Amino acid sequence: MTPKDAILGFAVAFLVAVVMTPVTARVARVVGAIDRPKDRGLAAGGTPLLGGLAMLAGILVSAAFYLHSTPRTEDRVHGILWGAVVIAVVGALDDRFELHPAAKLAGQIVAAVIPVHAGVEVVNITLPFVGALQFHSLGSVLTVVGLVAVMNVVNLSDGIDGLAAGVCAIAATVFAIIAFDLERRHAGVLAALTAGAALGFLVHNFHPASVFMGDCGSNLLGLMLGCIAVEGAVKTQAVLALVFPLLVLAVPFLDTTFVVLKRMKYGRPVWQADANHLHHRFNRIGFSQRRSVLYLYAWTMTLGAFAVALRFVPYSDNHGHFNTGWSLVMAALGLVVLAASVYLVVVLEILKVKRLVWMRHASGHDEAAVDAEVEQALATGEFPAVRLD
């Protein structure tokens, strides 16, 4: 397999997803898989789900033409694709019948076990200055846990038009670049197919969305990205193998971590949905859906570009010796990424909250009251939406 296979596979997956998404939307309306209005949601409700089935079709059709596995990778590739089918079916059932959280978790575990049983497993990782860390028999269990975690991270981040599809498309594109450089060509093509399918669906899902991917799609993308990360980077001997997935998926990981910790802090079930995700908070300070999602796209691109730079910039010989000039370049890039992250989280959220609260107290300029209200808003993640009219 070559980069040409990845590019053609991307294109076919994109076209199939574009064509099939309206079809799955009609099917969703017929079977009653419709998103209902929710207090926590940003959508008006009444939008068909099951868009993930269109992405699955794009991945499978494209894989049939452009994913040429070798005897060494055939079982793992088939395991990933069968796992994708299983999780898409489980997600579709959840979209239609709202499965109990335990039943949905069981379905995720089954879908994750399929590729792991086929060999998609992390048996060791190479840490900087430490060397290889062996997992032995725990490798399969840890991999299943990791895949289920990624599925839920993507699922929890899917709360605004175009967000999950766009972020996952960016992430898959970055994984494809890194996987090909690491000579993990099957993972590179899988990543390209996933990116194409996600972008094809995004044509219909960008605000105002005519269809949602539902749990069917978010779990599918989570499983695909998790398996691609294992096959494309984590399973190699690259020193920074574990860093690549963490950087590329940092936005949904950070968002989910924040939300879960907040729920734990206030004694809420971690699986119980609320309106404390980044996109909800941006909406409450006056950002439109499009502006919110474009900022999050930009953040993901920044992190993805840094992950690519870590792989291609020759700042180290991978034996503990660093090139001063290129190391300074990487440090500068790291500062840019850090500044972008701080800008997004602090300037766009915390400082704007304080400015808006200050406006509410403008008549008395009571700074202590402003600080108290801001502290409460940041602690609970709840503050009144800003009306620009």
Side-chain angles (χ1 to χ4, degrees), residues 14 75 98 190 275 281 309 350 381:
F14 174 85
D75 288 345
E98 295 190 13
L190 272 171
R281 295 162 73 87
I350 298 176

Side-chain angles (χ1 to χ4, degrees), residues 171-352:
T173 302
V174 173
F175 281 143
I177 295 171
I178 293 172
F180 268 101
D181 184 63
L182 291 170
E183 297 296 325
R184 313 291 287 188
R185 296 179 181 273
H186 66 292
V189 174
L190 272 171
L193 307 185
T194 303
L199 280 179
F201 171 75
L202 186 60
V203 170
H204 303 279
N205 184 242
F206 196 72
H207 186 73
S210 61
V211 60
F212 293 156
M213 68 173 66
D215 281 14
C216 171
S218 59
N219 281 280
L220 170 67
L221 289 177
L223 179 66
M224 291 300 298
L225 289 177
C227 290
I228 290 164
V230 172
E231 286 293 294
V234 181
K235 209 171 182 182
T236 69
Q237 297 302 315
V239 175
L240 294 175
L242 192 61
V243 174
F244 297 139
L246 294 178
L247 269 176
V248 175
L249 295 172
V251 173
F253 267 121
L254 290 173
D255 182 37
T256 300
T257 300
F258 170 83
V259 170
V260 168
L261 290 176
K262 187 69 65 176
R263 293 171 187 172
M264 292 174 64
K265 178 179 179 180
Y266 290 97
R268 304 166 185 162
V270 295
W271 60 85
Q272 185 180 73
D274 56 29
N276 286 324
H277 289 275
L278 282 173
H279 50 270
H280 291 120
R281 295 162 73 87
F282 287 164
N283 177 257
R284 288 198 292 265
I285 62 174
F287 278 27
S288 66
Q289 287 203 47
R290 288 194 176 195
R291 188 178 181 187
S292 298
V293 79
L294 289 175
Y295 270 98
L296 292 170
Y297 285 174
W299 190 13
T300 304
M301 288 180 184
T302 302
L303 292 163
F306 187 61
V308 171
L310 282 172
R311 181 61 196 166
F312 288 95
V313 174
Y315 63 91
S316 168
D317 63 359
N318 293 324
H319 297 289
H321 302 97
F322 293 88
N323 180 291
T324 303
W326 285 116
S327 293
L328 290 174
V329 169
M330 288 305 302
L333 291 175
L335 288 175
V336 170
V337 172
L338 179 62
S341 302
V342 170
Y343 176 81
L344 192 75
V345 176
V346 178
V347 177
L348 293 185
E349 188 163 355
I350 298 176
L351 297 186
K352 283 198 174 185

Side-chain angles (χ1 to χ4, degrees), residues 88-163:
V89 171
V90 171
L93 291 173
D94 186 46
D95 290 334
R96 174 59 184 86
F97 300 106
E98 295 190 13
L99 301 177
H100 189 277
K104 184 160 59 174
L105 178 60
Q108 291 174 330
I109 292 173
V110 170
V113 166
I114 294 173
V116 170
H117 180 70
V120 182
E121 177 185 357
V122 181
V123 294
N124 66 73
I125 57 173
T126 304
L127 301 176
F129 309 111
V130 176
L133 176 63
Q134 301 292 334
F135 292 132
H136 302 293
S137 59
L138 287 177
S140 58
V141 176
L142 292 175
T143 307
V144 169
V145 171
L147 293 178
V148 171
V150 177
M151 283 187 264
N152 282 289
V153 162
V154 175
N155 185 29
L156 288 171
S157 69
D158 181 30
I160 184 173
D161 292 355
L163 179 58

Side-chain angles (χ1 to χ4, degrees), residues 69 73-83 114-115 118:
S69 56
T73 62
E74 183 176 11
D75 288 345
R76 301 203 299 274
V77 168
H78 289 170
I80 293 171
L81 295 178
W82 276 114
I114 294 173

